Amino acid sequence: QVQLVESGGGLVRPGGSLRLSCAASELISDDSVIGWFRQAPGKEREGVSCIRAGDGTAYYASSMEGRFTISRDNVKNTMYLRMNSPEPEDTAVYYCATCVPVPYGMAYVLINVLDAWGQGTLVTVSS
């Protein structure tokens, strides 16, 4: 089973930017969809964005598109999440994991069917 390791978290000011990385332990198949989830203090874990490894098709949860940009580098077996103008409400532990995007209105509900999580990377948005 592919291991996914998150990095890049830290303190960022509101309106700044931050890029998170997710490194895979081995080559990910083109059909695989992996993505980012997050869990804020006192809240349930939620999906942010996922991407299909082969063609780069991106899926965003409601209200996430535009605020986050997902990308991948298949040569490096690494996926990224750029936070664009983060707000304090984006403070959370961010996890990368396998993903199943389910269409919902104009967006997607993102599901991690394996319910397997790594250590995550903490992002704190504060001035």
Side-chain angles (χ1 to χ4, degrees):
Q1 184 173 348
V2 176
Q3 300 298 316
L4 302 173
V5 179
E6 308 91 343
S7 63
L11 176 64
V12 59
R13 295 186 181 279
S17 68
L18 190 68
R19 190 178 77 164
L20 308 181
S21 299
C22 173
S25 59
E26 59 188 63
L27 184 66
I28 297 175
S29 68
D30 286 351
D31 290 340
S32 294
V33 180
I34 57 174
W36 293 94
F37 299 78
R38 71 181 184 181
Q39 187 165 21
K43 296 186 177 181
E44 293 189 355
R45 190 150 23 205
E46 63 177 345
V48 178
S49 180
C50 299
I51 190 167
R52 186 175 302 279
D55 63 10
T57 299
Y59 307 90
Y60 291 91
S62 178
S63 79
M64 301 298 183
E65 189 164 12
R67 302 181 56 242
F68 297 89
T69 303
I70 194 169
S71 62
R72 89 276 188 247
D73 184 332
N74 289 346
V75 174
K76 296 181 178 180
N77 286 343
T78 302
M79 176 182 62
Y80 305 98
L81 184 72
R82 178 168 294 281
M83 305 178 68
N84 307 311
S85 296
E87 303 169 355
E89 305 84 80
D90 295 316
T91 294
V93 178
Y94 285 73
Y95 303 87
C96 59
T98 57
C99 175
V100 175
V102 179
Y104 183 78
M106 298 296 290
Y108 292 86
V109 173
L110 306 176
I111 300 171
N112 173 239
V113 295
L114 296 178
D115 197 26
W117 305 99
Q119 294 296 314
T121 187
L122 175 63
V123 174
T124 303
V125 184
S126 175
S127 56

